[in-house]
Amino acid sequence: MKVINCIIVEDEQYAINILSDFISKVPFINLEHTFNNPIEALLHLKSTPVDLIFLDINMPELSGIDLIKLLPKNTEIIITSGYSEFAVAGFENNVLDYLLKPYSFERFLQASQKALDKLLLLDIPKPTPVSEQSDSFYLKTDHGRIVRINFNDIIYIEGLKNYCSVFTEHERHISLVSMKTLADNLPQQDFARTHKSYIIALKRIKSIDGNMVMFDKIKEKIPIGVTYRDSFFAQLNNKMFK
């Protein structure tokens, strides 16, 4: 079972006590340390990194938002605050969740599950590089399964922030992998980027109507973005009868 190592950074002891009690009830979270002083927490993290920080915002000497800017980018943050007005600033700094005090154990558990889901996805390796002779590649999905995907089965790929969805006729495979990584591992002559969020299989195209691509087996239509339009049609032109 994946275990999340965490610390609490909170200047009020009663809030630390509540969080510590909630954490003790969740089997996949291990509380390593608590801090009343954010500067002490920062010094600790330089030598002992953790997966997750439960962080208050309104603290003396250094605010939670200022502390976030000093932390390693791969540290997940769940803010715990009695002030809702800091929520926007928190999410602008890519915090995982925002717990508004007083919060229930159920709400805490929901945020903790979100942290677990995120960290499990971060453990997923990139797809296995393929050679020119390969007809498939291996991809670890969000369910923890490793699947072999044939290039011939792919209809299109959609990018969603840090994730990608690979669509075939009957399945959708989601993985924590970038569009660039997938694009670099596809046969360049058979796939084309039509949009910042889409890669399509050229042989699956049924028709093109304006700036939309249609396929044989599915109802979805894929847009052709302005940035990729010229390169897409240039690539398609090489496959057309003259």
Side-chain angles (χ1 to χ4, degrees), residues 203-220:
K203 72 174 187 177
R204 292 284 190 164
I205 296 173
K206 178 182 180 181
S207 61
I208 299 172
D209 185 4
N211 289 324
M212 302 300 295
V213 178
M214 277 71 77
F215 304 96
D216 275 319
K217 302 292 185 180
I218 61 174
K219 295 180 180 180
E220 283 81 358

Side-chain angles (χ1 to χ4, degrees), residues 30-49:
N30 172 52
L31 178 58
E32 291 194 347
H33 213 297
T34 66
F35 296 90
N36 298 103
N37 186 310
I39 296 177
E40 291 179 1
L42 184 61
L43 293 174
H44 174 81
L45 290 168
K46 288 184 180 296
S47 60
T48 312

Side-chain angles (χ1 to χ4, degrees), residues 66-158:
D66 290 334
L67 178 60
I68 290 172
K69 296 175 181 178
L70 299 173
L71 294 172
K73 292 184 178 180
N74 60 344
T75 306
E76 298 299 333
I77 307 291
I78 294 177
I79 288 177
T80 60
S81 176
Y83 302 92
S84 60
E85 58 264 32
F86 295 116
V88 173
F91 287 113
E92 284 178 349
N93 285 276
N94 298 315
V95 301
L96 189 65
D97 208 337
Y98 195 100
L99 295 177
L100 185 62
K101 300 174 183 175
Y103 48 86
S104 66
F105 176 72
E106 288 75 17
R107 180 65 183 89
F108 167 82
L109 186 59
Q110 181 185 31
S112 300
Q113 186 62 54
K114 186 183 296 186
L116 179 63
D117 292 343
K118 177 71 177 292
L119 291 167
L120 284 173
L121 282 173
L122 290 173
D123 286 341
I124 297 175
K126 296 179 178 179
T128 306
V130 297
S131 66
E132 293 183 0
Q133 291 75 34
S134 298
D135 60 0
S136 63
F137 66 99
Y138 291 91
L139 191 69
K140 191 168 185 179
T141 71
D142 59 332
H143 297 299
R145 294 188 304 134
I146 297 176
V147 297
R148 183 170 67 87
I149 301 175
N150 291 319
F151 294 126
N152 287 336
D153 293 337
I154 298 173
I155 298 177
Y156 70 94
I157 297 168
E158 181 181 11

